Amino acid sequence: MLGKFEVRTDLALEAHENYEEMATPPHLRSAASRAAAGDHKTRKHGENSGIHGVRVEEEADEEREIYITTVTIETENAAKAMGKAVGTYITIEAPNMSTPDEDYHREISEELAKQLDVLLDGRKDSVLVVGLGNREVTPDALGPDVVNNLRITRHMMKEYGRMPSGMEASGEISAIVPGVMAQTGMETLEIIRGVVGQTHPGIVIVIDALAARSTKRLNRTIQVTDTGIHPGSGVGNHRNAINEETLGIPVIAVGVPTVVDAATIVNDTMEELIAEMDRQDSMKMLGGALGTLDQAEKHEMICKLISPYLNTMFVTPKDIDETVKYLSYTISEALNMTFARDCHRETGC
Amino acid sequence: MLGKFEVRTDLALEAHENYEEMATPPHLRSAASRAAAGDHKTRKHGENSGIHGVRVEEEADEEREIYITTVTIETENAAKAMGKAVGTYITIEAPNMSTPDEDYHREISEELAKQLDVLLDGRKDSVLVVGLGNREVTPDALGPDVVNNLRITRHMMKEYGRMPSGMEASGEISAIVPGVMAQTGMETLEIIRGVVGQTHPGIVIVIDALAARSTKRLNRTIQVTDTGIHPGSGVGNHRNAINEETLGIPVIAVGVPTVVDAATIVNDTMEELIAEMDRQDSMKMLGGALGTLDQAEKHEMICKLISPYLNTMFVTPKDIDETVKYLSYTISEALNMTFARDCHRETGC
Amino acid sequence: MLGKFEVRTDLALEAHENYEEMATPPHLRSAASRAAAGDHKTRKHGENSGIHGVRVEEEADEEREIYITTVTIETENAAKAMGKAVGTYITIEAPNMSTPDEDYHREISEELAKQLDVLLDGRKDSVLVVGLGNREVTPDALGPDVVNNLRITRHMMKEYGRMPSGMEASGEISAIVPGVMAQTGMETLEIIRGVVGQTHPGIVIVIDALAARSTKRLNRTIQVTDTGIHPGSGVGNHRNAINEETLGIPVIAVGVPTVVDAATIVNDTMEELIAEMDRQDSMKMLGGALGTLDQAEKHEMICKLISPYLNTMFVTPKDIDETVKYLSYTISEALNMTFARDCHRETGC
Amino acid sequence: MLGKFEVRTDLALEAHENYEEMATPPHLRSAASRAAAGDHKTRKHGENSGIHGVRVEEEADEEREIYITTVTIETENAAKAMGKAVGTYITIEAPNMSTPDEDYHREISEELAKQLDVLLDGRKDSVLVVGLGNREVTPDALGPDVVNNLRITRHMMKEYGRMPSGMEASGEISAIVPGVMAQTGMETLEIIRGVVGQTHPGIVIVIDALAARSTKRLNRTIQVTDTGIHPGSGVGNHRNAINEETLGIPVIAVGVPTVVDAATIVNDTMEELIAEMDRQDSMKMLGGALGTLDQAEKHEMICKLISPYLNTMFVTPKDIDETVKYLSYTISEALNMTFARDCHRETGC
């Protein structure tokens, strides 16, 4: 329907909103979309999704300004409707996530560690963390930056059977930054599958920069899912999926939207322009010019105007360097907490 | 007129096109704009500009695919009309500038060295090169990257009176990467003015990443000008100008557009959409809906739809890391050639 | 006396030990040197220095394993004897400073903030922090890395009169990473003097990597002094001093020894070898071979054997990347604490 | 014999010199060692080695100042004697290799490409290049830096069957920078074995920073060998070998010595000191003090004096950042030449 390009989002939350929007009459859409994209006050907590096979649960910690939405896609039909795989998608939203504070938002690290614990379900004996993305492109460096600050333990546990005194860990943590295809000539999946085959981790956690549909979501949302990831979706093309099906072991993905596709942003604004004109027309005169164009004709007109150059471009904030630095600390701290946690609980070390 | 945001370009060539476009009736505009932005076959060489006080000269090297446009703004009135300072703006366009080749496009380095020589006019005894921009943000790292590959000679000439054997230089070359205000807390101008006051160079060359209006110009255009620069215009806000007026010595600026403002790209596409609808309306029915809106009302509608978030965002290609790497080699090589050149010519060293 | 090269240390603590060692009979020297270089149990606390005009105070926090030595050089004669300028040198030693822990050794940051407060003596209205060193050479990147994590406030205070809500600062903090002479062609002093002349800070804090005499001191010692610094002494040649005399405003220097000069390490081990042989000789036979060589002849023999290449080399640990990362967090955190502190105390903001 | 530490060199050329030195009477040793370590004028070309099963061939290009030594270890006995595996070791020495020049020493790139062609013997259909080492430690970043400038083609050939127009390649080139064990928790061998198992290259080329015995060899020597490599030997511990035996496909290693082990440099200078004293003794008096110590006692004395800290330290030049930058260009250019070459020769593409 949308012609030459795809309105893309890596966030299940946005995919869900898109779906609801499609079913919304045009004259209500703009408001619905605004409500969906960030205005928490208008959302009811714990509401059920309108799509069959999709469960949506919301939770708000108003004091710490952290909002959790859990989207569970339960059936293949729902997966098709949403354009997202069957599984659980936990979204942590915090408006001030990328503003600097003294301890890199420890409260968000704690919340993320809590949600990771839910999906890991105790499987922390041997974890491979993969920092996806291109460390040379600022908004795509999130994965590599997170890996830079992880406490790596596998080699020490292999050599000494435990961590040096003063450090704690519940299991063997290893990590790799595979790079992107333009740098390696290889699919990321090939590299990870090779490493998994040699080092036999029990579970993989991939960290990646994502693409959102709306600039309002950028750098204030963390998505955690047990469905894995499509590498390159952050700022590049879709590549072979990295998930339990392709790796043979569970894959948890942690992502933050740091870019919006340039074509998406232009398309969305033009759609709003047309909707706005429709509204004005209908107020000003019945049977206005746009009334004579159907939905398909409108989309065709938009597609014609979107420069083919835009499909290879992304939109990102000017202070993305600071933002990615802060976000990567917040996430690596959450992972370090998660990996050290069992230790306290069980062995009391 | 355009409301909350400014359609911004750092390229005099585009400013000139914008001006011509404003004077073009709407139904012709889209074609004019397309012709202006890159289709060299439709441009006449050596034509005069339509604006009084602006001279435009074009030169094409079809074999090497290098196109030179020299825009000379001669009067203050013309400067006001163009929104650019009085002075000379040389634009080197080469469609394949950022595609990798064996010697980092030595033919473009040679052309740039030639144009620099025109503006330097022999003033190479003591040159301070300033690499503007934020080395942590990929499309803004051009200036710092160029400085990384320069042959710095001032300290050796101060100590030994000449360069070590095997290296050549016509003068004392020094360089600084001042960083951006979020990193330093200082205006770039303050830092450069301080350094100039202490080290007394005869001329300053600033290298910066620029913002273009059109994605078609990105990474295929080098602008050289004797009017200096407004730092931060690449991906940030306008700051105190760096030019002969503020530094007290001549300032030559070398820039490559690596980003487009996100708001600009959205605005431009929407303007084209409205123009397109006007055309369709006029064909389909006389007195259509849009006919009832005047230019100002249309702009207001667009401004309302452009998210305020977009003003802090930029658009850049996904392979910007490779592009900036190649472009910075091309430019640093041109500077190294320029600085070594006199030597050969005059002293035969 | 030592011939072609200088046994170099940037630490006043080591300069003091060297002095004491020179006055120690050879057969006692090795033990004295060992005691001096790190064995805190053998040192008395609060002892007075043997040199006239030098006061040494020691303080130990056994629980947190932090040891503070304050060397005060009070007269020009003492300064000559020590080879260090008149002023106060505070050394914070902590054996586990560069081993990773959860909060980057907040206890050391707190101690450093306390000592900085002593030397700053309330002068925090307007501070320029200078990150000396070469960010491309790992052990020399300490200064640039510290600046990377500072909370910069000057530009915000100039624009808004205060910091954004949620952040605190007692004054205008600005920062610069001037680079090294091979990169800029300029003396670091020229750059800093220029910046100070334009932006008028009340005080300068320089951060630098230092050279120690002993590998035992590396990465476990922070020196804070009100005497400024000689840039390049970390891993290069002595350059124009950066101090109150050359800048016209007070200069506090914070340094961590991250390298030992290669020639120093070789010289010191050979001196110990000769001393050892002397001891063995004297035990085995009276009037042995080495007895016939005087001190000067021994030094000449050593100098002849030290390769001239060694004078351009440094010694550093293999895990220097991790170490510099951790140390730079510890120091930047201390500075951030210091700058935010007054706020709490005085204005209660 | 040498006690707690090993005098280490990754260069077969130095291993060969060490062997010859061991068989040299002490009073001749210093001169022999000096001759061996770089004074080309005293070396005969084409001479045979004194060790059975080791062939040494020398070749000098006096005009371009490039010297090639090929050491062939032919038997397991010779391998044991030399401490190096059976195979061919080609050493390219060029005194000015790391001094900057206009084209990054294209003459050395050409020589290296020629030698690589000898060892590759046409096997260029599918090559995996591995950049070993730690990109965060300057002298160890050589491998990662070389990979940064390689022309990667595998993904394009897989997708389009050939390279984009304007670029040439004889085969599918892929590359990986695996990182070091402290960053990944995995043996480098595990990562490479995994990647090889998934992507099936025909041959592997590993690039690594090496440790030399003598500072005189640093940054002026390239070793190319068909025996593979021991990762981490550059600036870390020995790890599982990367060679045909462990990977199942041929492995060519390209290395440049960028560091000397700190303990090695101290040991060697002390050995020279003892030899020097022996000589002085013998001149001054027969049966001097040192005459009473045998070789083993002397070594024990040295080992006692070498600080255990030194075993975790390396020695490297102060301008190592510039040096590694230049060397990595020289090597990546050689690889790009090698991979593009066949194309011209055979298929004329």
Side-chain angles (χ1 to χ4, degrees):
Chain A
M1 176 76 94
L2 285 171
K4 287 163 237 154
F5 82 98
E6 192 189 345
V7 171
R8 187 161 68 85
T9 175
D10 293 325
L11 295 176
L13 191 59
E14 288 188 333
H16 181 241
E17 287 161 11
N18 290 353
Y19 186 92
E20 290 196 322
E21 200 175 312
M22 299 296 258
T24 310
H27 65 282
L28 298 175
R29 203 182 294 169
S30 182
S33 143
R34 256 194 291 276
D39 188 354
H40 298 286
K41 283 175 198 112
T42 67
R43 275 202 263 160
K44 289 176 225 103
H45 294 175
E47 71 189 312
N48 274 315
S49 156
I51 312 169
H52 193 77
V54 176
R55 206 149 34 84
V56 177
E57 279 170 90
E58 299 193 340
E59 206 183 319
D61 181 336
E62 301 285 356
E63 195 189 336
R64 297 188 306 167
E65 288 191 272
I66 299 179
Y67 306 89
I68 313 290
T69 311
T70 305
V71 175
T72 315
I73 302 182
E74 292 171 323
T75 65
E76 284 300 336
N77 275 345
K80 234 171 256 170
M82 292 273 290
K84 297 275 152 202
V86 168
T88 303
Y89 300 82
I90 302 166
T91 309
I92 302 171
E93 288 175 276
N96 60 355
M97 191 181 285
S98 62
T99 53
D101 79 342
E102 211 164 286
D103 56 1
Y104 301 113
H105 292 289
R106 198 174 175 85
E107 79 282 5
I108 300 174
S109 297
E110 278 164 4
E111 186 61 47
L112 175 54
K114 201 178 101 185
Q115 301 298 338
L116 273 170
D117 267 343
V118 171
L119 294 185
L120 280 167
D121 195 22
R123 295 168 296 186
K124 305 182 193 173
D125 285 346
S126 170
V127 183
L128 171 65
V129 182
V130 179
L132 292 179
N134 183 349
R135 67 168 91 225
E136 306 293 336
V137 174
T138 316
D140 205 24
L142 182 79
D145 283 0
V146 166
V147 164
N148 266 5
N149 284 297
L150 280 188
R151 237 166 270 144
I152 303 302
T153 63
R154 182 178 177 269
H155 58 305
M156 286 185 277
M157 291 188 136
K158 284 262 179 248
E159 198 161 348
Y160 308 111
R162 51 168 197 84
M163 289 293 289
S165 65
M167 292 181 71
E168 303 144 2
S170 66
E172 294 178 0
I173 311 304
S174 57
I176 193 161
V177 174
V180 295
M181 214 165 60
Q183 294 162 345
T184 65
M186 301 181 279
E187 296 285 350
T188 307
L189 176 62
E190 291 176 309
I191 297 171
I192 302 175
R193 194 144 55 182
V195 168
V196 166
Q198 288 289 317
T199 63
H200 311 295
I203 197 163
V204 166
I205 299 180
V206 294
I207 318 291
D208 200 9
L210 305 177
R213 175 161 183 174
S214 160
T215 55
K216 296 166 199 164
R217 281 262 157 59
L218 290 187
N219 305 317
R220 45 177 58 203
T221 307
I222 302 174
Q223 176 175 274
V224 194
T225 172
D226 56 6
T227 59
I229 215 159
H230 294 78
S233 62
V235 292
N237 292 319
H238 279 259
R239 289 286 146 202
N240 313 20
I242 297 168
N243 56 26
E244 183 154 10
E245 197 187 319
T246 58
L247 288 185
I249 53 172
V251 178
I252 290 174
V254 179
V256 175
T258 61
V259 298
V260 175
D261 274 4
T264 299
I265 226 168
V266 168
N267 174 77
D268 281 11
T269 327
M270 286 200 292
E271 290 218 331
E272 291 206 33
L273 174 65
I274 290 178
E276 178 70 20
M277 291 167 94
D278 267 345
R279 273 193 295 284
Q280 297 217 358
D281 281 353
S282 59
M283 284 181 283
K284 281 187 181 159
M285 58 169 95
L286 290 165
L290 280 157
T292 63
L293 296 175
D294 67 14
Q295 200 70 4
E297 283 171 313
K298 283 175 198 162
H299 279 300
E300 207 197 304
M301 192 159 58
I302 289 175
C303 283
K304 234 174 50 188
L305 291 171
I306 289 180
S307 158
Y309 287 89
L310 276 187
N311 286 310
T312 62
M313 307 244 164
F314 63 82
V315 178
T316 202
K318 284 163 185 174
D319 62 352
I320 187 66
D321 57 328
E322 290 294 307
T323 300
V324 164
K325 189 164 82 172
Y326 286 115
L327 287 172
S328 71
Y329 287 140
T330 302
I331 295 176
S332 58
E333 205 41 41
L335 289 169
N336 287 334
M337 279 179 198
T338 300
F339 298 147
R341 190 166 291 184
D342 258 20
C343 193
H344 290 293
R345 274 204 210 128
E346 289 163 26
T347 66
C349 62
Chain B
M1 175 77 92
L2 285 171
K4 287 166 236 153
F5 81 99
E6 191 189 346
V7 171
R8 187 161 67 87
T9 174
D10 293 325
L11 295 176
L13 191 60
E14 288 189 334
H16 180 240
E17 287 161 11
N18 290 353
Y19 186 91
E20 291 196 321
E21 202 176 310
M22 298 296 258
T24 310
H27 64 283
L28 298 175
R29 203 182 294 170
S30 181
S33 144
R34 256 193 290 276
D39 189 353
H40 298 286
K41 281 169 203 120
T42 69
R43 276 203 261 160
K44 290 176 225 103
H45 294 173
E47 70 188 314
N48 274 315
S49 157
I51 311 169
H52 193 77
V54 176
R55 206 150 32 83
V56 178
E57 277 169 274
E58 300 194 340
E59 206 183 319
D61 180 337
E62 301 285 356
E63 197 189 334
R64 298 188 305 167
E65 290 191 90
I66 298 179
Y67 307 88
I68 313 290
T69 311
T70 305
V71 176
T72 316
I73 302 183
E74 293 170 322
T75 63
E76 283 300 338
N77 274 345
K80 233 172 257 172
M82 293 274 289
K84 296 276 152 203
V86 168
T88 303
Y89 301 83
I90 302 167
T91 309
I92 303 171
E93 287 175 277
N96 59 356
M97 191 180 284
S98 63
T99 54
D101 80 340
E102 212 164 283
D103 56 1
Y104 300 112
H105 293 289
R106 196 173 177 85
E107 79 281 5
I108 300 174
S109 297
E110 279 163 2
E111 186 60 46
L112 175 54
K114 203 179 99 185
Q115 300 298 337
L116 273 169
D117 267 344
V118 171
L119 293 185
L120 280 166
D121 193 23
R123 296 168 295 186
K124 304 182 194 174
D125 284 347
S126 170
V127 183
L128 172 65
V129 182
V130 179
L132 292 179
N134 183 348
R135 68 167 90 226
E136 306 294 335
V137 174
T138 317
D140 204 24
L142 183 79
D145 284 0
V146 167
V147 164
N148 266 5
N149 284 297
L150 280 189
R151 237 166 271 142
I152 302 301
T153 63
R154 181 176 178 270
H155 58 306
M156 287 185 277
M157 290 188 137
K158 285 261 179 249
E159 196 160 351
Y160 308 111
R162 51 170 196 81
M163 288 293 288
S165 65
M167 291 180 74
E168 303 145 359
S170 67
E172 295 178 0
I173 311 305
S174 57
I176 194 161
V177 174
V180 295
M181 213 164 61
Q183 294 163 344
T184 64
M186 300 181 279
E187 297 285 349
T188 307
L189 176 61
E190 291 177 309
I191 297 171
I192 301 175
R193 193 144 53 182
V195 168
V196 166
Q198 288 289 317
T199 63
H200 310 294
I203 197 164
V204 166
I205 299 180
V206 293
I207 319 291
D208 200 10
L210 305 178
R213 174 163 183 175
S214 160
T215 55
K216 296 165 200 165
R217 281 262 158 60
L218 290 187
N219 305 316
R220 44 177 58 204
T221 307
I222 302 173
Q223 175 175 276
V224 194
T225 173
D226 56 6
T227 59
I229 214 159
H230 295 77
S233 63
V235 292
N237 292 320
H238 279 261
R239 288 286 146 202
N240 313 19
I242 297 168
N243 55 26
E244 183 155 9
E245 197 187 319
T246 57
L247 288 185
I249 53 172
V251 179
I252 290 174
V254 178
V256 175
T258 61
V259 299
V260 176
D261 274 4
T264 298
I265 225 168
V266 168
N267 175 77
D268 281 11
T269 327
M270 285 200 293
E271 289 219 331
E272 291 205 34
L273 174 65
I274 289 177
E276 178 70 23
M277 290 167 95
D278 267 345
R279 275 192 295 285
Q280 296 216 0
D281 282 352
S282 58
M283 283 180 283
K284 281 191 184 157
M285 57 169 94
L286 290 165
L290 281 157
T292 64
L293 295 175
D294 67 14
Q295 201 69 5
E297 284 172 312
K298 283 175 199 164
H299 279 300
E300 206 197 306
M301 191 159 57
I302 289 176
C303 283
K304 233 172 55 187
L305 291 170
I306 289 179
S307 156
Y309 287 89
L310 276 187
N311 285 312
T312 61
M313 307 243 164
F314 63 83
V315 178
T316 202
K318 284 163 186 175
D319 62 352
I320 187 66
D321 56 329
E322 290 295 306
T323 299
V324 164
K325 189 164 81 173
Y326 286 114
L327 287 172
S328 71
Y329 286 140
T330 302
I331 296 176
S332 59
E333 206 40 42
L335 289 170
N336 287 333
M337 279 178 198
T338 299
F339 298 146
R341 191 168 288 185
D342 257 22
C343 194
H344 291 293
R345 271 201 212 131
E346 290 164 24
T347 64
C349 62
Chain C
M1 174 78 92
L2 285 172
K4 288 164 236 153
F5 82 99
E6 192 190 344
V7 171
R8 187 161 67 86
T9 175
D10 293 326
L11 294 176
L13 191 59
E14 288 188 335
H16 181 241
E17 287 161 11
N18 289 354
Y19 186 90
E20 290 196 321
E21 203 176 310
M22 298 296 257
T24 310
H27 65 282
L28 298 176
R29 201 182 296 170
S30 181
S33 143
R34 258 193 290 276
D39 188 353
H40 297 285
K41 284 175 198 112
T42 69
R43 275 202 263 161
K44 289 177 225 103
H45 294 172
E47 72 189 312
N48 272 316
S49 158
I51 312 169
H52 193 78
V54 176
R55 207 149 32 84
V56 177
E57 278 170 273
E58 300 193 340
E59 206 183 319
D61 181 336
E62 300 286 354
E63 197 190 334
R64 298 188 306 168
E65 290 191 89
I66 299 180
Y67 307 88
I68 314 290
T69 311
T70 305
V71 175
T72 316
I73 303 183
E74 292 170 322
T75 65
E76 283 300 336
N77 275 345
K80 236 172 253 171
M82 294 274 288
K84 296 276 153 203
V86 168
T88 303
Y89 301 82
I90 302 167
T91 309
I92 303 172
E93 287 175 277
N96 60 356
M97 190 181 285
S98 62
T99 53
D101 80 341
E102 212 165 284
D103 56 1
Y104 301 113
H105 293 289
R106 197 173 175 85
E107 79 282 6
I108 301 173
S109 297
E110 279 163 3
E111 186 61 47
L112 175 54
K114 201 179 100 185
Q115 300 298 337
L116 273 169
D117 268 343
V118 171
L119 293 185
L120 280 167
D121 194 22
R123 295 168 295 185
K124 304 182 194 174
D125 284 346
S126 169
V127 183
L128 171 65
V129 181
V130 180
L132 292 179
N134 184 347
R135 67 168 91 225
E136 305 293 334
V137 174
T138 317
D140 205 24
L142 183 78
D145 284 1
V146 166
V147 164
N148 266 4
N149 284 297
L150 280 188
R151 237 165 271 143
I152 303 301
T153 62
R154 182 177 177 269
H155 57 307
M156 286 186 277
M157 291 189 136
K158 285 260 180 250
E159 197 160 348
Y160 308 111
R162 52 169 196 83
M163 290 290 290
S165 64
M167 292 180 73
E168 303 144 0
S170 67
E172 296 178 359
I173 311 304
S174 57
I176 194 161
V177 174
V180 295
M181 214 164 59
Q183 295 163 344
T184 65
M186 301 181 278
E187 297 284 351
T188 307
L189 176 60
E190 291 176 308
I191 298 171
I192 301 175
R193 193 145 53 183
V195 168
V196 165
Q198 289 289 317
T199 63
H200 310 294
I203 197 163
V204 166
I205 299 181
V206 294
I207 318 290
D208 200 10
L210 306 178
R213 175 163 184 174
S214 159
T215 55
K216 296 164 200 165
R217 280 263 159 59
L218 290 186
N219 305 317
R220 45 177 59 203
T221 307
I222 302 174
Q223 177 175 275
V224 195
T225 173
D226 57 6
T227 59
I229 215 159
H230 294 79
S233 63
V235 293
N237 292 319
H238 280 260
R239 288 287 146 201
N240 312 18
I242 296 168
N243 56 26
E244 182 154 8
E245 198 188 318
T246 58
L247 286 186
I249 51 172
V251 179
I252 290 175
V254 178
V256 175
T258 60
V259 300
V260 176
D261 274 5
T264 298
I265 225 168
V266 168
N267 174 78
D268 282 11
T269 327
M270 286 201 291
E271 289 217 332
E272 290 205 33
L273 175 64
I274 289 178
E276 178 70 21
M277 290 168 95
D278 267 345
R279 274 193 294 285
Q280 296 217 357
D281 281 352
S282 59
M283 284 180 281
K284 278 186 184 160
M285 58 170 94
L286 290 164
L290 280 158
T292 63
L293 296 173
D294 66 12
Q295 199 70 5
E297 283 171 312
K298 283 175 199 164
H299 279 302
E300 205 197 308
M301 193 160 56
I302 288 175
C303 283
K304 232 173 54 188
L305 290 170
I306 289 180
S307 157
Y309 286 90
L310 276 188
N311 285 312
T312 61
M313 307 246 162
F314 64 83
V315 178
T316 203
K318 284 162 186 175
D319 61 352
I320 187 67
D321 56 329
E322 289 294 306
T323 300
V324 164
K325 190 164 80 173
Y326 286 115
L327 288 171
S328 70
Y329 287 140
T330 302
I331 296 176
S332 59
E333 205 41 42
L335 289 170
N336 287 335
M337 279 179 199
T338 300
F339 298 146
R341 191 168 291 185
D342 258 22
C343 191
H344 291 292
R345 272 205 212 128
E346 290 164 24
T347 65
C349 62
Chain D
M1 176 78 92
L2 285 171
K4 287 163 237 153
F5 81 98
E6 194 190 344
V7 171
R8 186 161 69 86
T9 175
D10 294 325
L11 294 175
L13 192 59
E14 288 188 334
H16 181 241
E17 286 161 12
N18 290 354
Y19 186 91
E20 290 195 322
E21 202 176 310
M22 299 297 260
T24 310
H27 64 282
L28 298 175
R29 203 182 294 169
S30 182
S33 144
R34 258 193 290 275
D39 188 353
H40 298 285
K41 279 169 203 121
T42 68
R43 275 201 263 161
K44 291 177 224 100
H45 295 172
E47 71 188 313
N48 272 315
S49 157
I51 312 169
H52 193 78
V54 176
R55 207 149 35 82
V56 178
E57 278 171 273
E58 300 194 339
E59 208 183 319
D61 182 337
E62 300 286 355
E63 198 191 333
R64 296 189 305 169
E65 288 192 272
I66 298 179
Y67 307 89
I68 313 290
T69 310
T70 306
V71 176
T72 316
I73 302 182
E74 293 170 322
T75 64
E76 282 301 336
N77 275 344
K80 235 172 254 169
M82 292 274 288
K84 297 275 152 203
V86 168
T88 303
Y89 301 82
I90 302 167
T91 309
I92 303 172
E93 287 174 277
N96 60 356
M97 189 181 286
S98 62
T99 53
D101 80 342
E102 210 165 287
D103 56 1
Y104 301 113
H105 292 288
R106 197 173 176 85
E107 78 282 5
I108 300 173
S109 296
E110 278 164 3
E111 187 59 47
L112 175 55
K114 203 178 99 185
Q115 300 298 338
L116 272 169
D117 267 343
V118 171
L119 294 184
L120 280 166
D121 195 22
R123 294 168 295 185
K124 304 182 194 172
D125 285 347
S126 170
V127 184
L128 171 66
V129 182
V130 180
L132 292 179
N134 183 350
R135 67 167 91 226
E136 305 293 335
V137 175
T138 317
D140 205 25
L142 184 78
D145 283 1
V146 166
V147 164
N148 266 5
N149 284 296
L150 280 188
R151 236 166 272 143
I152 303 302
T153 63
R154 182 178 177 269
H155 57 305
M156 286 185 277
M157 291 188 135
K158 286 262 179 248
E159 196 159 350
Y160 308 111
R162 51 170 195 82
M163 288 292 289
S165 64
M167 292 181 72
E168 302 145 1
S170 67
E172 295 177 359
I173 311 304
S174 57
I176 193 161
V177 174
V180 296
M181 214 164 61
Q183 294 163 343
T184 65
M186 301 181 278
E187 297 285 349
T188 307
L189 177 60
E190 291 176 310
I191 298 170
I192 302 176
R193 194 145 53 185
V195 168
V196 165
Q198 288 289 318
T199 63
H200 311 294
I203 197 163
V204 166
I205 300 180
V206 293
I207 319 291
D208 201 9
L210 305 178
R213 175 162 182 174
S214 160
T215 54
K216 296 164 200 165
R217 281 263 158 58
L218 289 187
N219 305 318
R220 45 176 58 204
T221 307
I222 302 173
Q223 178 176 274
V224 194
T225 173
D226 57 6
T227 59
I229 214 158
H230 294 78
S233 62
V235 292
N237 292 320
H238 278 259
R239 287 288 146 202
N240 313 18
I242 296 168
N243 56 26
E244 182 154 10
E245 199 188 319
T246 57
L247 287 185
I249 53 172
V251 179
I252 290 174
V254 178
V256 175
T258 61
V259 299
V260 176
D261 273 5
T264 298
I265 225 167
V266 168
N267 175 76
D268 281 12
T269 327
M270 286 202 290
E271 288 218 332
E272 290 206 34
L273 174 65
I274 290 178
E276 179 68 22
M277 291 168 95
D278 267 345
R279 272 194 296 284
Q280 296 216 359
D281 283 350
S282 60
M283 283 182 284
K284 280 188 184 158
M285 58 169 92
L286 292 165
L290 280 157
T292 63
L293 296 173
D294 67 13
Q295 201 69 7
E297 285 171 311
K298 284 174 198 162
H299 279 300
E300 207 197 306
M301 192 159 58
I302 289 175
C303 283
K304 235 173 52 189
L305 291 170
I306 289 179
S307 157
Y309 287 90
L310 276 187
N311 286 312
T312 62
M313 307 244 164
F314 63 83
V315 178
T316 203
K318 285 164 185 173
D319 61 354
I320 188 66
D321 57 328
E322 289 295 305
T323 300
V324 164
K325 189 164 81 173
Y326 286 114
L327 287 171
S328 71
Y329 286 140
T330 302
I331 296 176
S332 59
E333 204 41 41
L335 289 169
N336 287 335
M337 279 179 198
T338 300
F339 298 145
R341 191 168 292 184
D342 258 23
C343 191
H344 291 293
R345 272 203 214 131
E346 290 164 23
T347 66
C349 63

